[in-house]
């Protein structure tokens, strides 16, 4: 990875034009006399998308993200792997240009093609630090890389000196941090799966919500809490069988919760949607590397520490 990023000429004006059109269409649809369309909250969706896109076209923000990630992971080591990030080169960072140091490694997708005994063993080793690094971002740092597809993950394995093996995470332009209330909701959801207390987690989500409509309807709170309980119960039952990456879909759990929140009008931090998508992507990569990895072997210590 040679570490050079340059924005295309004219990209800013093109994005401004597209954003203006998108927001106008969103407000037009939202103004129609339809409760179903109003529940979609399209102006809010458009505004959130605008914030995400604007952060992508200022490479100074990506440089700041890389420095923050490097600080968060300076002491991280798992299964003889360290996790690193490209380092921005001083005096070569601007809104339109970002130069980073050279990263030696190969895309993690290359390892998915190796079906040899050694290749399968190495894939198992890679899954653990990668999953643990992502969970650390979510539960410990509350600063999450939201673009961890296989092309943004490089691996360098030193077979002679395993202490120098490393996983490098690239392209940190898209990041998210959750509001404290929603980070606690996320912790409570995972704890609920462990303890089978979905209804309690649902009630706490409503109490913490910045805005919610479910208590305005008779039986609304009970219906929402019962819905969370049903989602949690399914995963709690699976946990007894072993919550391996091959058996469960944590991203699906989180997506189901978001759907329920929309249905009952319980406001959730828009950043949560990006976290859910990131979880789905990384979960799929982890499943390809090692489907027998037990997710809660990693989650429970982080929940206890947090």
């Amino acid at each position: 990875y040679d570490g050079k990023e340059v924005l295309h000429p004219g990209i800013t004006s093109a994005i401004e034009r597209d954003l203006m059109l998108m927001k106008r269409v969103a407000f037009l649809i939202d103004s129609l006399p339809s409760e179903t369309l109003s529940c979609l909250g399209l102006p809010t969706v458009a505004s959130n998308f605008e914030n995400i896109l604007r952060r992508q076209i200022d490479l100074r923000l990506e440089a700041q993200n890389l420095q923050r990630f490097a600080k968060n992971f300076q002491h991280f080591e798992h299964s003889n792997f360290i996790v690193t990030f490209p380092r921005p080169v001083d005096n070569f960072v601007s809104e339109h240009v970002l130069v980073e140091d050279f990263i030696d490694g190969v895309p993690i997708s290359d390892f998915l093609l190796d079906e040899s005994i050694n290749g399968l063993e190495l894939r198992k080793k890679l899954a653990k630090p990668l999953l643990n690094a992502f969970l650390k971002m979510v539960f410990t740092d509350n600063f999450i890389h939201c673009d961890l597809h296989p092309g943004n993950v490089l691996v360098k394995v030193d077979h002679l000196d395993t202490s120098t093996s490393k996983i490098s995470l690239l392209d940190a332009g898209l990041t998210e941090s959750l509001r404290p209330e929603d980070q606690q909701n996320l912790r409570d959801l995972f704890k609920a799966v462990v303890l089978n207390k979905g209804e309690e987690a649902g009630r706490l989500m409503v109490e913490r919500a910045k805005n919610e409509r479910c208590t305005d309807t008779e039986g609304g709170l009970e219906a929402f809490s019962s819905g969370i309980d049903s989602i949690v119960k399914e995963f709690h039952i699976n946990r007894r069988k072993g919550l391996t990456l091959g058996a469960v879909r944590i991203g699906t759990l989180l997506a189901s919760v978001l759907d329920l929140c929309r249905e009952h009008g319980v406001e959730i931090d828009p950043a949560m949607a990006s976290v859910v998508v990131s979880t789905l992507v990384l979960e799929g990569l982890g499943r390809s590397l090692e489907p027998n990895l037990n997710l809660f072997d990693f989650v429970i210590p982080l929940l206890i520490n947090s």
Side-chain angles (χ1 to χ4, degrees):
Y1 175 72
D2 59 8
K4 295 189 289 289
E5 296 185 40
V6 181
L7 293 184
H8 288 282
I11 188 66
T12 302
S13 59
I15 287 176
E16 292 291 348
R17 182 185 63 244
D18 292 345
L19 287 174
M20 180 182 66
L21 178 61
M22 180 183 67
K23 288 189 291 185
R24 287 183 176 179
V25 171
F27 277 102
L28 175 62
I29 294 175
D30 189 65
S31 67
L32 297 175
S34 168
E35 186 175 344
T36 301
L37 292 176
S38 296
C39 287
L40 294 176
L42 292 181
T44 302
V45 172
S47 177
N48 294 335
F49 182 75
E50 177 183 10
N51 291 335
I52 291 172
L53 203 54
R54 288 191 185 282
R55 282 182 281 157
Q56 293 279 294
I57 57 174
D58 187 344
L59 296 178
R60 294 170 298 186
L61 297 179
E62 181 171 351
Q64 293 172 11
N65 292 342
L66 289 170
Q67 292 170 336
R68 183 172 174 181
F69 276 125
K71 183 178 180 180
N72 289 347
F73 280 84
Q74 60 184 332
H75 301 302
F76 179 89
E77 187 272 334
H78 196 286
S79 302
N80 291 326
F81 276 90
I82 61 172
V83 172
T84 67
F85 298 82
R87 181 179 61 84
V89 178
D90 292 340
N91 302 319
F92 287 91
V93 176
S94 71
E95 182 179 354
H96 302 288
V97 177
L98 172 59
V99 179
E100 304 155 5
D101 60 352
F102 177 78
I103 298 292
D104 186 17
V106 298
I108 197 168
S109 54
D110 288 6
F111 293 87
L112 301 178
L113 304 175
D114 188 351
E115 298 291 338
S116 67
I117 294 177
N118 289 337
L120 293 173
E121 190 61 33
L122 182 55
R123 275 154 61 170
K124 291 181 182 180
K125 291 180 180 178
L126 285 171
K128 294 178 181 179
L130 186 62
L131 179 61
N132 204 59
F134 181 72
L135 294 173
K136 177 184 184 300
M137 293 179 191
V138 174
F139 289 109
T140 304
D141 303 332
N142 194 22
F143 187 62
I144 306 154
H145 192 309
C146 290
D147 198 15
L148 286 177
H149 59 78
N152 279 341
V153 183
L154 296 186
V155 178
K156 181 177 186 256
V157 179
D158 191 329
H159 295 285
L160 298 178
D161 182 5
T162 56
S163 64
T164 62
S165 296
K166 65 180 181 179
I167 296 173
S168 299
L169 306 181
L170 315 177
D171 194 6
L174 184 55
T175 63
E176 289 290 2
S177 296
L178 297 175
R179 296 181 312 208
E181 300 90 341
D182 290 293
Q183 192 185 30
Q184 187 59 51
N185 285 337
L186 197 58
R187 292 192 189 104
D188 286 347
L189 272 175
F190 280 88
K191 288 178 181 177
V193 172
V194 177
L195 303 174
N196 195 23
K197 292 186 176 181
E199 189 169 344
E200 179 181 330
R203 290 180 179 276
L204 288 172
M205 288 177 68
V206 174
E207 288 178 14
R208 297 187 188 117
K210 193 173 182 180
N211 296 294
E212 54 86 13
R213 298 194 314 268
C214 73
T215 55
D216 296 337
T217 305
E218 185 177 352
L221 175 59
E222 290 74 16
F224 177 77
S225 300
S226 177
I228 295 292
D229 192 52
S230 296
I231 295 170
V232 164
K233 267 189 171 65
E234 179 183 349
F235 277 77
H236 183 77
I237 292 170
N238 286 334
R239 180 176 177 268
R240 297 171 186 170
K241 304 173 185 176
L243 277 178
T244 63
L245 289 177
V248 299
R249 303 289 189 273
I250 292 298
T252 303
L253 163 73
L254 299 178
S256 297
V257 170
L258 287 187
D259 286 340
L260 199 66
C261 288
R262 278 194 294 269
E263 180 183 340
H264 290 273
V266 178
E267 183 178 310
I268 292 291
D269 189 347
M272 183 70 83
S274 296
V275 174
V276 170
V277 172
S278 302
T279 303
L280 287 166
V281 171
L282 195 77
E283 189 179 34
L285 177 57
R287 190 176 300 115
S288 299
L289 292 168
E290 168 54 322
N292 295 319
L293 198 65
N294 193 314
L295 180 67
F296 272 74
D297 287 345
F298 298 87
V299 172
I300 290 176
L302 289 171
L303 291 176
I304 293 173
N305 291 333
S306 63

